[in-house]
Amino acid sequence: MPADGGETSEVRAALLRLRRGTGLPVAFAGLLEGQRQVRIGELSGTETYALHGLAVSSGNGLGGKALALSRPCAVTDYSVSRHISHEYDAAVEAEGLRSVLAVPVVVRRRVRGVLYGALRTARPLGDRALSVAVAAARDVEQALVVRDEVRALLAAVREPVAGPGAWEQVREAHGALRALAPRIADPALRAEILSVCGTLASAATLPERDRERPVALAPREVDVLACVAAGVTNAVAAERLGLRPETVKGYLRSAMRKLGAHTRLEAVVAARRAGLLP
């Protein structure tokens, strides 16, 4: 699957973190294209475009080895290493790379890409460089997991709603999307999520003549109420939203005050009547 704009920005940010954390002058990466091939699409610190667009097949070269084994791999001098095959020597030599490490991006036991860091001198990269590169790959993995969850939820809520319990499914999806939105770095995807949340809320809103007066809640207050509507505790809501339980309580108290509610249930009902929740 080709990378979208959000995935590209997340990989680019990971490469910058990798270079800053390791001091390596060069970093590059590619995401999975097809079943067994990574295409290099992001470069950081390179002097040529020799590596850009390079299709790395599973088992070939250093990145292909990391792809096939699903574990980090490194060589001290790429061109003469006996531990890798040499299909990509021309591109590596054109960029002047010698010591190279490759770390797979693994999501649910499936490699989704490879991050590389490199030196233009032949010397061991060391454990610190490897650990920083692994941490950068983990950041990309977490971002991809969140994006996968968002895509699945968006696909689900765009299907026609019908049958018993359908609105409960919509409400659960709404709560999950509200919880995921703040974790999305891509502004376009985040805006799309919030737009869908608004559509879900308005779809279940009472006719205008039956609505209560408009209430202005802060986005985080709506996020907390969406979790409460799903029946979770403050502790679980805090975990989903990446907040402290005390912060969740504060948002909930504020929302209840604005809604004129005395209990959590009253707050959810009032938010639904105001068109803030489905």
Side-chain angles (χ1 to χ4, degrees):
M1 177 186 297
D4 63 27
E7 290 175 348
T8 297
S9 65
E10 287 152 358
V11 171
R12 189 178 300 126
L15 293 182
L16 290 175
R17 288 194 295 272
L18 191 160
R19 290 183 62 199
R20 289 170 184 162
T22 62
L24 295 176
V26 179
F28 51 101
L31 293 178
L32 194 69
E33 184 178 84
Q35 294 296 317
R36 298 176 61 81
Q37 180 176 275
V38 165
R39 187 172 296 277
I40 306 301
E42 290 299 318
L43 309 176
S44 180
T46 54
E47 297 177 350
T48 74
Y49 284 96
L51 296 166
H52 191 267
L54 192 68
V56 179
S57 299
S58 178
N60 293 347
L62 183 67
K65 183 176 180 180
L67 175 60
L69 299 178
S70 296
R71 62 174 175 81
C73 300
V75 293
T76 300
D77 195 342
Y78 192 100
S79 63
V80 299
S81 174
R82 296 182 178 181
H83 302 293
I84 60 171
S85 60
H86 291 273
E87 292 84 357
Y88 313 114
D89 281 9
V92 173
E93 289 174 8
E95 186 56 44
L97 304 182
R98 302 288 294 279
S99 294
V100 186
L101 60 81
V103 180
V105 175
V106 184
V107 178
R108 297 188 177 93
R109 299 184 180 181
R110 178 171 174 251
V111 177
R112 296 276 292 273
V114 178
L115 302 187
Y116 299 81
L119 287 169
R120 292 190 170 90
T121 56
R123 59 184 174 83
L125 291 169
D127 292 339
R128 172 169 172 73
L130 185 59
S131 64
V132 172
V134 168
R138 297 296 172 266
D139 289 343
V140 177
E141 290 168 5
Q142 290 303 310
L144 293 179
V145 167
V146 172
R147 294 178 73 83
D148 287 350
E149 292 176 1
V150 168
R151 286 179 179 133
L153 286 166
L154 290 176
V157 299
R158 283 169 175 155
E159 292 295 323
V161 176
W167 276 115
E168 284 308 312
Q169 295 176 18
V170 168
R171 286 165 176 163
E172 288 178 7
H174 175 271
L177 286 170
R178 292 283 325 189
L180 287 170
R183 296 163 56 190
I184 297 296
D186 178 12
L189 180 57
R190 186 168 60 250
E192 182 182 1
I193 294 170
L194 295 177
S195 175
V196 170
C197 288
T199 300
L200 293 177
S202 62
T205 301
L206 295 170
E208 192 164 353
R209 66 178 183 276
D210 297 326
R211 293 182 200 171
E212 296 187 350
R213 61 180 176 82
V215 179
L217 296 186
R220 274 308 204 185
E221 291 170 347
V222 179
D223 293 343
V224 169
L225 282 176
C227 289
V228 171
V232 305
T233 64
N234 288 347
V236 173
E239 183 178 350
R240 288 185 182 180
L241 299 173
L243 301 172
R244 294 186 302 173
E246 295 77 12
T247 305
V248 168
K249 290 178 184 178
Y251 281 128
L252 182 55
R253 283 195 298 267
S254 177
M256 290 171 65
R257 183 176 64 255
K258 293 177 181 179
L259 292 165
H262 298 92
T263 67
R264 293 158 63 93
L265 178 58
E266 285 181 7
V268 169
V269 171
R272 286 173 177 164
R273 286 177 176 168
L276 299 170
L277 294 178

